[in-house]
Amino acid sequence: MQQHGELVVVGCGIQLGRHVSERAVSEIMEADALFVLSDAAAFDWIAGQRPDAIGLTDCYDDGTDRRETYRQMTAMIVDSVRAGQRVCAVFYGHPGVFAQVPHAAIEQVRCEGFRARMEPGISAEACLYADLGLDPGTRGVQSIEATRLLAYRHRLDPTALVLLWQVALAGNLACIGFEPDPERLQVLVDKLSQWYRPDTPVILYEAAQLPIEEFRADWMILADLPTARYKEYTTLVIPPAREVERDEHWIARLEALD
Ligand SMILES: C[S@@+](CC[C@H](N)C(=O)[O-])C[C@H]1O[C@@H](n2cnc3c(N)ncnc32)[C@H](O)[C@@H]1O
């Protein structure tokens, strides 16, 4: 049976005020309860329209495993839906892109018989294609979280564009703290050497969060990553490093159909 109470998860984009959709604004204004996970400036902007907005950023602390923090955030949202409220949860960027809490909250409330849906937002990846002039359709794209790449036997394709998310926290298996660690970044460089030479050009990318900021696109070589400068929201971009070969076998199969 459909229960009273519902959840809509929306994205507010990366750049304050400019990326938020009309649909997201109307959900923000009409909700009974509003939760927000964003940078401080975006939170202030939302709280300007909705002074009752609850900031989820306060759940973070330097000594707690982030997976536990995400469980707390999910529980806050789900409890509010259970209380019969129309809940809106706002997340920066696209709420469904590299974001555990929105997916977990939606799954949980649906399991309990409540309505839940997600509205898309402009992700860091969408900004990256615009700022760096890269088209994922040209060579294909692989997008993966940096620590996940280290911990699992994923395979990268150096003929495609590769995006490594949360690179500042690469190798932080404990999920505690937010500081980059040069030793762990060196482990990342070592693992990447399976596919790339140490002098491969890479980009550290940061989309602008404020309209008055410029985006950051610092080119460097792969070997220099351990000593580079990072923010929590830096993304590592590895442009295609090798030519891709035509697959004559399959082309011949297709041509035989002409
Ligand atoms: C937990 S994910 C959240 C992504 C977000 N949901 C989105 O749609 O972009 C955090 C990671 O996204 C990327 N990211 C977030 N904001 C960014 C920005 N302003 N510029 C570049 N990358 C960003 C970074 O890789 C960062 O470590």
Side-chain angles (χ1 to χ4, degrees):
M1 194 180 69
Q2 198 78 56
Q3 308 259 36
H4 202 57
E6 68 176 89
L7 172 63
V8 58
V9 174
V10 304
C12 61
I14 298 293
Q15 202 173 109
L16 175 65
R18 289 187 173 172
H19 287 176
V20 67
S21 67
E22 281 183 29
R23 183 73 189 256
V25 171
S26 98
E27 296 293 350
I28 288 168
M29 297 312 295
E30 285 169 27
D32 301 326
L34 182 65
F35 295 92
V36 182
L37 183 65
S38 70
D39 62 89
F43 179 79
D44 289 347
W45 184 80
I46 293 169
Q49 340 272 318
R50 285 288 305 252
D52 58 335
I54 298 165
L56 292 172
T57 318
D58 297 342
C59 297
Y60 284 117
D61 81 70
D62 280 346
T64 304
D65 184 325
R66 274 189 298 288
R67 290 163 291 196
E68 176 51 33
T69 307
Y70 296 152
R71 278 192 283 274
Q72 280 173 24
M73 291 177 182
T74 305
M76 286 168 72
I77 294 168
V78 172
D79 283 349
S80 189
V81 176
R82 284 186 191 125
Q85 296 191 292
R86 176 174 176 173
V87 177
C88 177
V90 185
F91 292 82
Y92 72 92
H94 185 307
V97 173
F98 288 86
Q100 295 176 18
V101 176
H103 287 294
I106 285 179
E107 189 183 337
Q108 197 164 334
V109 302
R110 279 184 184 156
C111 276
E112 295 183 23
F114 299 99
R115 269 201 301 263
R117 68 189 162 83
M118 181 182 285
E119 295 291 337
I122 295 180
S123 70
E125 188 167 352
C127 299
L128 183 154
Y129 297 137
D131 289 338
L132 303 185
L134 295 169
D135 183 343
T138 308
R139 293 289 201 94
V141 63
Q142 255 182 311
S143 217
I144 186 163
E145 204 265 338
T147 301
R148 185 171 181 87
L149 175 70
L150 284 169
Y152 292 88
R153 291 178 183 269
H154 289 284
R155 290 202 194 150
L156 292 189
D157 176 0
T159 70
L161 172 66
V162 169
L163 309 179
L164 294 189
W165 298 65
Q166 301 207 122
V167 65
L169 303 179
N172 182 336
L173 295 175
C175 296
I176 294 176
F178 298 93
E179 289 303 314
D181 176 346
E183 287 185 329
R184 290 170 203 273
L185 284 159
Q186 183 60 54
V187 177
L188 177 67
V189 170
D190 292 346
K191 181 151 190 186
L192 288 171
S193 72
Q194 292 177 56
W195 303 284
Y196 299 99
R197 292 160 39 126
D199 60 354
T200 301
V202 301
I203 308 167
L204 289 183
Y205 171 71
E206 289 157 13
Q209 293 178 328
L210 298 175
I212 51 163
E213 283 176 348
E214 292 292 326
F215 66 86
R216 173 187 177 205
D218 279 356
W219 284 85
M220 61 193 67
I221 60 168
L222 187 65
D224 286 346
L225 285 179
T227 53
R229 180 172 56 84
Y230 295 88
K231 292 203 169 136
E232 258 170 70
Y233 55 86
T234 307
T235 297
L236 174 62
V237 181
I238 312 181
R242 279 199 231 146
E243 286 306 312
V244 63
E245 289 172 34
R246 278 165 60 87
D247 199 333
E248 300 298 350
H249 169 79
W250 296 103
I251 291 172
R253 280 276 306 268
L254 292 170
E255 284 176 348
L257 298 175
D258 289 345

